Amino acid sequence: MKFNRIAIIAILAILTVVLAGSVSAFDLGFLSGGDSEPQEITVGGIDFSIPAGFDENEEYKMVNEKSNTSGIDYYMSSAGFEDDSKQKAIYILVGDYDEYNVTDEIIEYVLDDMDYEKKTINGHDGYLVQQSTSSSSSLMAVEEPICMFVYEENGDLVFLGATDDSYFSDVII
């Protein structure tokens, strides 16, 4: 019973990210002038490194925004980044489900209809998903390919979305 409730919450968190990103295939907005040094950031209590040349778009920032589904409270924190050309983007979302811990079993359940491969990036075991217009998933319609890496850290759901999966090894510390 708890597994199903957590799986539903994880699905909702991923859907939130997917819907935010699918508006224009990760066209994150209006910023200009990328940083020349990598940026150390913390999202949902987890540290990440954003590669040089990316700036944060405040439009995609969430800090411990509380939500509730099926009687379970959860908190989402997120950040979105793009380069000067607005063609390259990175999106981070961390979902904290209070006393419930996200497990690999839950992530696999959520990704069931998607084509994914198990992968380890910087010591974090997770799931790499390549979404494109030809993907079989009904979670989002994508104009350009989007890469996702989903994993668990400290019982929280960590979702990374990017226009290129090579960014994940830079972002995950």
Side-chain angles (χ1 to χ4, degrees), residues 15-46:
L15 282 174
T16 300
V17 172
V18 168
L19 291 174
S22 67
V23 173
S24 62
F26 273 86
D27 177 12
L28 293 178
F30 52 85
L31 295 174
S32 61
D35 287 341
S36 60
E37 297 290 323
Q39 307 167 55
E40 299 289 322
I41 64 157
T42 301
V43 177
I46 299 173

Side-chain angles (χ1 to χ4, degrees), residues 113 115 129-138 140 142 146:
D113 290 338
D115 292 326
V129 180
Q130 301 278 337
Q131 276 299 126
S132 67
T133 53
S134 62
S135 293
S136 61
S137 169
S138 61
M140 71 176 164
V142 207
I146 295 174

Side-chain angles (χ1 to χ4, degrees), residues 1-2 15 23 43-44 48-49 58 70-71 78 93 96 107 111 118 124-125 130 143 145 151 155 159:
M1 179 78 163
K2 284 184 181 180
L15 282 174
V23 173
V43 177
F48 299 93
S49 179
E58 293 290 326
S70 300
S78 67
L93 178 128
D96 178 358
I107 294 172
L111 298 177
K118 285 184 146 185
H124 295 274
D125 295 329
Q130 301 278 337
E143 295 172 21
Y151 64 99
F159 171 92

Side-chain angles (χ1 to χ4, degrees), residues 13 21 33-34 51 53-54 58 61 68 72 94-95 102 113 120 128 134-135 165:
F54 286 84
E58 293 290 326
K61 187 171 191 131
N68 181 294
I72 298 175
V94 176
V102 172
D113 290 338
T120 301
L128 182 64
S134 62
S135 293
D165 66 356

Side-chain angles (χ1 to χ4, degrees), residues 46-103:
I46 299 173
D47 295 328
F48 299 93
S49 179
I50 304 303
F54 286 84
D55 281 318
E56 186 170 8
N57 183 332
E58 293 290 326
E59 183 178 336
Y60 291 89
K61 187 171 191 131
M62 289 190 290
V63 178
N64 287 327
E65 289 194 16
K66 184 177 180 178
S67 197
N68 181 294
T69 187
S70 300
I72 298 175
D73 290 335
Y74 62 97
Y75 302 86
M76 292 192 306
S77 297
S78 67
F81 300 84
E82 66 184 354
D83 75 340
D84 289 341
S85 72
K86 317 260 186 291
Q87 301 299 311
K88 299 176 184 174
I90 299 168
Y91 187 83
I92 301 168
L93 178 128
V94 176
D96 178 358
Y97 301 95
D98 272 345
E99 73 268 10
Y100 300 104
N101 287 323
V102 172
T103 64

